Protein backbone atom coordinates (compact mmCIF):
# COMPACT_ATOMS: atom_id res chain seq x y z
CA UNK A 1 0.00 0.00 0.00
CA UNK A 2 1.05 3.58 -0.69
CA UNK A 3 0.75 6.21 2.05
CA UNK A 4 -2.23 7.83 0.33
CA UNK A 5 -4.24 4.60 0.51
CA UNK A 6 -4.98 5.38 4.16
CA UNK A 7 -7.26 8.20 2.97
CA UNK A 8 -10.97 7.26 3.08
CA UNK A 9 -13.01 7.53 -0.10
CA UNK A 10 -16.52 8.97 -0.12
CA UNK A 11 -17.53 8.48 -3.75
CA UNK A 12 -19.51 11.46 -5.01
CA UNK A 13 -20.88 9.71 -8.09
CA UNK A 14 -19.78 12.40 -10.53
CA UNK A 15 -19.87 11.17 -14.14
CA UNK A 16 -16.89 10.36 -16.30
CA UNK A 17 -17.14 12.52 -19.43
CA UNK A 18 -15.15 13.13 -22.59
CA UNK A 19 -12.41 15.77 -22.42
CA UNK A 20 -12.95 18.60 -24.96
CA UNK A 21 -9.74 17.79 -26.81
CA UNK A 22 -10.07 20.77 -29.16
CA UNK A 23 -9.10 23.00 -26.21
CA UNK A 24 -5.87 21.11 -25.49
CA UNK A 25 -3.00 19.50 -27.32
CA UNK A 26 -3.19 15.73 -27.60
CA UNK A 27 -1.10 12.85 -28.88
CA UNK A 28 -2.93 10.83 -31.51
CA UNK A 29 -3.20 7.92 -31.67
CA UNK A 30 -2.97 7.48 -27.93
CA UNK A 31 0.41 5.98 -26.91
CA UNK A 32 -1.05 3.11 -24.88
CA UNK A 33 -3.72 2.29 -27.44
CA UNK A 34 -0.92 1.93 -30.00
CA UNK A 35 0.55 -0.78 -27.78
CA UNK A 36 -2.79 -2.61 -27.63
CA UNK A 37 -4.01 -1.51 -24.19
CA UNK A 38 -7.62 -2.72 -23.65
CA UNK A 39 -9.67 0.43 -23.05
CA UNK A 40 -12.92 -1.24 -24.05
CA UNK A 41 -15.86 1.14 -24.50
CA UNK A 42 -14.08 4.18 -23.01
CA UNK A 43 -11.24 6.11 -24.57
CA UNK A 44 -8.32 7.29 -22.43
CA UNK A 45 -9.43 10.89 -22.92
CA UNK A 46 -12.11 10.88 -20.25
CA UNK A 47 -12.11 12.43 -16.76
CA UNK A 48 -14.61 13.24 -14.04
CA UNK A 49 -16.65 16.31 -14.91
CA UNK A 50 -15.21 18.63 -12.25
CA UNK A 51 -11.66 17.50 -13.01
CA UNK A 52 -12.13 18.66 -16.59
CA UNK A 53 -13.30 22.04 -15.26
CA UNK A 54 -10.10 22.28 -13.21
CA UNK A 55 -8.05 21.34 -16.26
CA UNK A 56 -9.71 24.12 -18.26
CA UNK A 57 -8.77 26.56 -15.50
CA UNK A 58 -5.16 25.39 -15.72
CA UNK A 59 -5.20 25.96 -19.50
CA UNK A 60 -6.53 29.48 -18.94
CA UNK A 61 -3.77 30.23 -16.41
CA UNK A 62 -1.18 28.97 -18.89
CA UNK A 63 -2.56 31.24 -21.62
CA UNK A 64 -2.17 34.28 -19.36
CA UNK A 65 1.53 33.50 -18.92
CA UNK A 66 2.18 32.09 -22.41
CA UNK A 67 -0.48 32.96 -25.01
CA UNK A 68 -1.08 30.15 -27.50
CA UNK A 69 0.70 27.53 -25.42
CA UNK A 70 -1.31 24.42 -24.61
CA UNK A 71 -1.43 21.72 -22.02
CA UNK A 72 -0.93 18.42 -23.83
CA UNK A 73 -2.90 15.52 -22.42
CA UNK A 74 -0.84 12.35 -22.52
CA UNK A 75 -3.16 10.10 -20.54
CA UNK A 76 -6.23 10.42 -18.33
CA UNK A 77 -8.78 7.71 -17.44
CA UNK A 78 -7.27 4.24 -17.23
CA UNK A 79 -9.35 1.11 -16.51
CA UNK A 80 -7.77 -1.46 -14.20
CA UNK A 81 -7.23 -3.74 -17.20
CA UNK A 82 -5.15 -1.02 -18.88
CA UNK A 83 -3.21 -0.45 -15.66
CA UNK A 84 -2.38 -4.17 -15.58
CA UNK A 85 -1.43 -4.14 -19.27
CA UNK A 86 0.95 -1.21 -18.83
CA UNK A 87 2.52 -2.66 -15.68
CA UNK A 88 3.20 -5.92 -17.52
CA UNK A 89 4.47 -4.06 -20.60
CA UNK A 90 6.80 -1.89 -18.51
CA UNK A 91 8.20 -4.94 -16.74
CA UNK A 92 8.88 -6.66 -20.07
CA UNK A 93 10.53 -3.51 -21.46
CA UNK A 94 12.72 -3.15 -18.38
CA UNK A 95 13.85 -6.77 -18.72
CA UNK A 96 14.66 -6.20 -22.39
CA UNK A 97 16.49 -2.93 -21.69
CA UNK A 98 18.78 -4.84 -19.31
CA UNK A 99 19.64 -7.32 -22.04
CA UNK A 100 17.88 -10.14 -20.21
CA UNK A 101 14.99 -12.51 -20.78
CA UNK A 102 12.30 -13.20 -18.19
CA UNK A 103 13.07 -16.91 -17.95
CA UNK A 104 16.68 -16.25 -16.94
CA UNK A 105 15.94 -13.66 -14.26
CA UNK A 106 17.38 -14.34 -10.85
CA UNK A 107 15.06 -13.64 -7.89
CA UNK A 108 16.98 -10.50 -6.91
CA UNK A 109 16.89 -9.24 -10.51
CA UNK A 110 13.14 -9.83 -10.73
CA UNK A 111 12.60 -8.00 -7.44
CA UNK A 112 14.74 -5.04 -8.54
CA UNK A 113 12.86 -4.67 -11.82
CA UNK A 114 9.44 -4.89 -10.18
CA UNK A 115 10.55 -2.28 -7.67
CA UNK A 116 11.54 0.03 -10.54
CA UNK A 117 8.20 -0.57 -12.27
CA UNK A 118 6.21 0.28 -9.16
CA UNK A 119 8.19 3.45 -8.63
CA UNK A 120 6.25 4.78 -11.62
CA UNK A 121 3.16 2.59 -11.94
CA UNK A 122 0.46 2.14 -9.33
CA UNK A 123 -0.46 -1.43 -8.45
CA UNK A 124 -3.47 -2.50 -10.60
CA UNK A 125 -5.49 -3.20 -7.48
CA UNK A 126 -9.13 -4.32 -7.67
CA UNK A 127 -9.61 -3.46 -3.98
CA UNK A 128 -12.10 -0.58 -3.77
CA UNK A 129 -10.04 0.95 -0.95
CA UNK A 130 -6.82 1.11 -2.98
CA UNK A 131 -7.68 2.13 -6.56
CA UNK A 132 -4.93 3.25 -8.95
CA UNK A 133 -5.28 7.04 -9.31
CA UNK A 134 -5.98 6.96 -13.05
CA UNK A 135 -8.73 4.39 -12.56
CA UNK A 136 -10.75 6.93 -10.58
CA UNK A 137 -11.00 9.36 -13.50
CA UNK A 138 -9.36 12.02 -11.32
CA UNK A 139 -5.74 11.84 -12.50
CA UNK A 140 -4.16 13.13 -15.68
CA UNK A 141 -0.67 12.98 -17.19
CA UNK A 142 0.24 16.21 -18.96
CA UNK A 143 3.06 18.19 -20.51
CA UNK A 144 3.35 21.50 -22.40
CA UNK A 145 3.28 22.49 -26.06
CA UNK A 146 4.56 25.90 -27.19
CA UNK A 147 3.01 28.38 -29.63
CA UNK A 148 4.79 26.67 -32.54
CA UNK A 149 3.18 23.36 -31.66
CA UNK A 150 6.40 21.86 -30.32
CA UNK A 151 6.40 19.67 -27.21
CA UNK A 152 8.50 21.31 -24.50
CA UNK A 153 11.55 19.33 -23.43
CA UNK A 154 11.05 18.57 -19.74
CA UNK A 155 14.34 16.71 -19.33
CA UNK A 156 12.83 13.22 -19.43
CA UNK A 157 9.96 11.55 -21.27
CA UNK A 158 6.72 10.69 -19.53
CA UNK A 159 6.81 7.22 -17.92
CA UNK A 160 10.61 7.02 -17.81
CA UNK A 161 11.62 4.67 -15.00
CA UNK A 162 14.48 6.70 -13.55
CA UNK A 163 15.16 9.44 -11.01
CA UNK A 164 14.93 11.98 -13.83
CA UNK A 165 11.16 11.58 -13.50
CA UNK A 166 11.23 13.10 -10.02
CA UNK A 167 9.86 16.66 -10.25
CA UNK A 168 12.86 18.38 -8.64
CA UNK A 169 15.57 16.25 -10.25
CA UNK A 170 17.09 19.29 -12.00
CA UNK A 171 16.36 21.81 -9.24
CA UNK A 172 19.93 22.29 -8.01
CA UNK A 173 21.83 21.89 -11.27
CA UNK A 174 24.13 24.64 -12.55
CA UNK A 175 23.73 23.46 -16.14
CA UNK A 176 21.74 25.93 -18.25
CA UNK A 177 19.73 23.21 -20.02
CA UNK A 178 18.89 21.55 -16.72
CA UNK A 179 17.70 24.90 -15.36
CA UNK A 180 15.35 25.21 -18.34
CA UNK A 181 13.94 21.75 -17.67
CA UNK A 182 13.27 22.66 -14.06
CA UNK A 183 11.71 26.01 -15.01
CA UNK A 184 9.31 24.30 -17.42
CA UNK A 185 8.40 21.68 -14.83
CA UNK A 186 7.70 24.46 -12.36
CA UNK A 187 5.57 26.30 -14.90
CA UNK A 188 3.47 23.19 -15.43
CA UNK A 189 3.23 22.65 -11.68
CA UNK A 190 2.23 26.25 -11.01
CA UNK A 191 -0.67 26.38 -13.48
CA UNK A 192 -1.96 22.98 -12.37
CA UNK A 193 -1.73 23.70 -8.64
CA UNK A 194 -3.37 27.08 -9.12
CA UNK A 195 -6.28 25.20 -10.70
CA UNK A 196 -6.60 22.92 -7.66
CA UNK A 197 -4.50 19.92 -8.66
CA UNK A 198 -1.73 18.26 -6.70
CA UNK A 199 1.40 16.76 -8.29
CA UNK A 200 2.65 13.24 -7.72
CA UNK A 201 5.91 13.59 -5.74
CA UNK A 202 7.55 10.98 -7.99
CA UNK A 203 6.40 12.15 -11.42
CA UNK A 204 6.66 15.62 -12.95
CA UNK A 205 3.74 14.88 -15.32
CA UNK A 206 1.11 13.35 -13.03
CA UNK A 207 -1.56 15.57 -11.46
CA UNK A 208 -4.85 14.78 -9.76
CA UNK A 209 -7.72 16.41 -7.93
CA UNK A 210 -10.22 14.71 -5.63
CA UNK A 211 -8.59 11.29 -5.40
CA UNK A 212 -6.67 9.71 -2.51
CA UNK A 213 -3.28 11.06 -3.57
CA UNK A 214 -4.68 14.58 -3.90
CA UNK A 215 -6.26 14.37 -0.43
CA UNK A 216 -3.10 12.92 1.12
CA UNK A 217 -0.92 15.67 -0.34
CA UNK A 218 -3.39 18.33 0.80
CA UNK A 219 -3.39 16.88 4.30
CA UNK A 220 0.41 16.82 4.42
CA UNK A 221 0.55 20.56 3.81
CA UNK A 222 -2.58 21.45 5.80
CA UNK A 223 -2.96 18.90 8.63
CA UNK A 224 -5.32 21.16 10.56
CA UNK A 225 -7.97 20.91 7.86
CA UNK A 226 -7.92 17.33 6.55
CA UNK A 227 -9.96 16.26 3.53
CA UNK A 228 -11.09 12.88 2.21
CA UNK A 229 -11.16 11.59 -1.36
CA UNK A 230 -14.35 12.10 -3.34
CA UNK A 231 -13.43 9.90 -6.32
CA UNK A 232 -12.94 6.15 -6.06
CA UNK A 233 -12.59 3.46 -8.66
CA UNK A 234 -15.21 3.62 -11.37
CA UNK A 235 -17.49 0.67 -12.08
CA UNK A 236 -15.55 -2.24 -13.48
CA UNK A 237 -15.54 -2.92 -17.19
CA UNK A 238 -15.67 -6.37 -18.74
CA UNK A 239 -11.87 -6.45 -18.97
CA UNK A 240 -11.55 -5.70 -15.25
CA UNK A 241 -14.05 -8.41 -14.38
CA UNK A 242 -11.93 -10.83 -16.43
CA UNK A 243 -8.92 -9.85 -14.35
CA UNK A 244 -10.89 -10.45 -11.15
CA UNK A 245 -11.90 -13.97 -12.20
CA UNK A 246 -8.24 -14.85 -12.76
CA UNK A 247 -7.32 -14.04 -9.17
Amino acid sequence: MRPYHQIPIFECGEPLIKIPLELFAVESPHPYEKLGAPYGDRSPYYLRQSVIENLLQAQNYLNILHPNWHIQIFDAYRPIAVQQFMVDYSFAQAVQDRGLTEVELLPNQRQEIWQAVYEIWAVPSLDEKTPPPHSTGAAVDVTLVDDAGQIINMGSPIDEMSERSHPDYYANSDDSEAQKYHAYRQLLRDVMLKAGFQRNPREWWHFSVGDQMWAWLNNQSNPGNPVAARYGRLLMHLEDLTLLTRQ
Side-chain angles (χ1 to χ4, degrees), residues 160-178:
E160 180 175 279
M161 292 192 298
S162 81
E163 290 187 355
R164 295 199 309 169
S165 295
H166 296 176
D168 293 329
Y169 179 79
Y170 295 105
N172 300 314
S173 176
D174 294 328
D175 179 76
S176 59
E177 283 300 304

Side-chain angles (χ1 to χ4, degrees), residues 78-216:
R78 195 183 298 158
I80 299 289
V82 173
Q83 188 76 17
Q84 183 69 63
F85 178 93
M86 290 308 303
V87 163
D88 294 340
Y89 173 84
S90 298
F91 178 83
Q93 281 295 111
V95 171
Q96 181 178 320
D97 291 346
R98 288 162 171 77
L100 301 169
T101 61
E102 188 168 352
V103 294
E104 66 181 328
L105 287 178
L106 298 173
N108 63 313
Q109 291 175 317
R110 184 179 297 273
Q111 182 180 358
E112 180 271 325
I113 294 173
W114 275 120
Q115 185 174 344
V117 168
Y118 285 127
E119 278 288 311
I120 291 294
W121 296 94
V123 175
S125 170
L126 287 164
D127 186 337
E128 292 183 358
K129 296 179 181 179
T130 60
H134 281 276
S135 299
T136 69
V140 61
D141 295 337
V142 291
T143 188
L144 296 172
V145 170
D146 66 18
D147 52 2
Q150 298 299 309
I151 299 173
I152 297 296
N153 189 342
M154 294 288 195
S156 71
I158 290 175
D159 290 343
E160 180 175 279
M161 292 192 298
S162 81
E163 290 187 355
R164 295 199 309 169
S165 295
H166 296 176
D168 293 329
Y169 179 79
Y170 295 105
N172 300 314
S173 176
D174 294 328
D175 179 76
S176 59
E177 283 300 304
Q179 290 173 359
K180 287 182 182 178
Y181 300 151
H182 183 65
Y184 289 137
R185 291 182 181 196
Q186 288 299 96
L187 171 61
L188 179 61
R189 172 192 176 275
D190 289 348
V191 298
M192 294 295 284
L193 264 64
K194 189 173 182 180
F197 289 89
Q198 291 285 354
R199 180 173 64 182
N200 186 330
R202 297 180 179 183
E203 302 172 2
W204 62 258
W205 59 83
H206 177 115
F207 295 84
S208 64
V209 57
D211 66 353
Q212 287 175 304
M213 183 183 292
W214 168 87
W216 181 74

